Amino acid sequence: MTDLKWSTAQALAPTRLLTSTLGVAMLTHAVDAVAADKVADAPDDSRRRAHALESVRVSANTYTSSSPKFTASLLDTPRAVTVIPREIIQQTAATSLQDVLRTVPGITFGAGEGGNPNGDRPFIRGFDGESSILVDGIRSSAGQQREVFDIDQIEIIKGPSSAYGGRGSVGGGINMVSKAPLDAEFLHANLGIGNAAYTRGTVDWNHRIGRDSAFRLAVMGNRNQTADRNGPEYQRWGIAPSLTLGLHSADSVTFSYYHLQSDDQPDSGIPYNNPFAASSPNATFNGNGKPIRVPHNTYYGLNDRDFQRQKTDLGSIIYKHSFNSGWVLRNSTVFSRFANDYVWTQPDDSQGNFLVNGGVWRRANTRSSSTTNLTNQSDLTGQFDTGGIHHSMAAGYELSNENTSRSSYRISPSYTGALANGACAIGQGAAADYWCAPVISPNPNDPWQGELAKGLNPVSLSTRTRSLWLFDTMEFGPMWALNLGARYDDFRTRSVSHASASGAVSQARNHASFMNYQAGLVFKPVETGSIYANWGTSSNPP
């Protein structure tokens, strides 16, 4: 892949630098008296001389978390926190959240197992973190594939973190920090061209308006295929304008909007020679769970059927007020809507299809869902002293309402007639209405004459959360600090499911109230280092 970059910039935002000077000295000593005498008798121009080398100047940027709940610098925070800044995202040519996180220790990714929607599903220290992803400190729980064209930095907290992020957060949480208007003038444009039809362009423009306001606009367009996969294709575009009034005033307000839209043909993957229950009609042909050996470019999807379309809209208003005492009040109101529609093929061998009949079932995994979320969050941060103890404190609340509606696609003609005990016994291709394909050299251009209709087995889900939190870092002199935090959540959720075949309606609900805590003791033997012990809790209500 080749990246062509063009940018202009003026008056870059101030960056804190840590600078140190390293001096190198060369010390020599005589190890042999005879050799030393010879050196002494040698001419001046041949004597060994000690040369003073130029000093090496080292500078480094310091990064902090955007969350007000971190009441100390990351150096003195008793947590495992990783901050990935914009520079690293750019230098690694990452285009998605998964690209950014794939090299972070302790994070792996799932692929929609267990009926989860097809989207980003990070596992943090072995625990599912799909619903523990935040955008600017606000929960973004809908399953989706996330872009980074409008992201300034990504923050990962590891370990039980419900005191910081609320429900879930068993293995940790992820916070994506959006780009915001700056007191600067710049225009950055990037163009990437590569193999597999890869093209990507981004623009990041920041413009001052008067002396105390600024406007910023981020735009992205992307299209690519998967190299050597003979089918999957991805295309998306996004736009994110934002406006800040009162950059240097005691009162400021930021209006922002984010839109991302994608139209993909997903990768159907490679079938597994799956083991199956003893009750299977083909139990004697059960496999060992390993992937079937096929060429890498083998694609089992159907070009005329498979798709994934996603759309994200997010609008926010953030108000800040700075008091003369140094305390800061911030209020955020965010409304978001996310839609995820897809039909993608899973080459299914769960019934021994491959071993029995030489083919695989083109099982259709489908979903049509939309999630809306309205959240209001406020926090108050500041510092004060009590006796000889210095306090850095943050307190706040969150009110959140989430509503999700989802269903599957009704596909006709059904696969029922194409399968005999799930084993593609009547053959592949036209004989099975193309529901069954050969394991070797399946044709993604097979005609698909079926019809798709939304609304199969609809489910509606509503969740209401009310939360309060308080954090305090207490400094006992230059060497000791105690970090304490607590969060209370009142969580209510209700689910209503409709079975299309029988007409039956089932309901489930849960009301849970829970407290979570965070406590850490920090010892600083030197100014540039710290040693800490930490204890935290998490809650994951159903």
Side-chain angles (χ1 to χ4, degrees), residues 299 301-302 362 437-438 441-447:
Y299 181 68
L302 285 166
R362 280 171 163 159
S441 299
N443 183 9
N445 295 314
D446 282 342

Side-chain angles (χ1 to χ4, degrees), residues 199-266:
T199 56
R200 179 181 176 87
T202 61
V203 173
D204 185 7
W205 175 49
N206 194 94
H207 175 62
R208 292 192 192 96
I209 302 175
R211 306 177 68 179
D212 206 31
S213 301
F215 174 79
R216 189 166 184 175
L217 177 66
V219 181
M220 178 277 302
N222 186 101
R223 182 174 183 177
N224 66 280
Q225 299 174 354
T226 301
D228 302 325
R229 287 292 293 130
N230 193 33
E233 184 175 19
Y234 308 90
Q235 51 186 341
R236 57 188 181 272
W237 66 274
I239 185 170
S242 55
L243 172 67
T244 296
L245 306 176
L247 280 170
H248 309 294
S249 303
D251 294 278
S252 69
V253 60
T254 298
F255 304 91
S256 64
Y257 172 70
Y258 175 88
H259 176 83
L260 176 66
Q261 190 166 325
S262 65
D263 187 359
D264 305 333
Q265 181 168 327

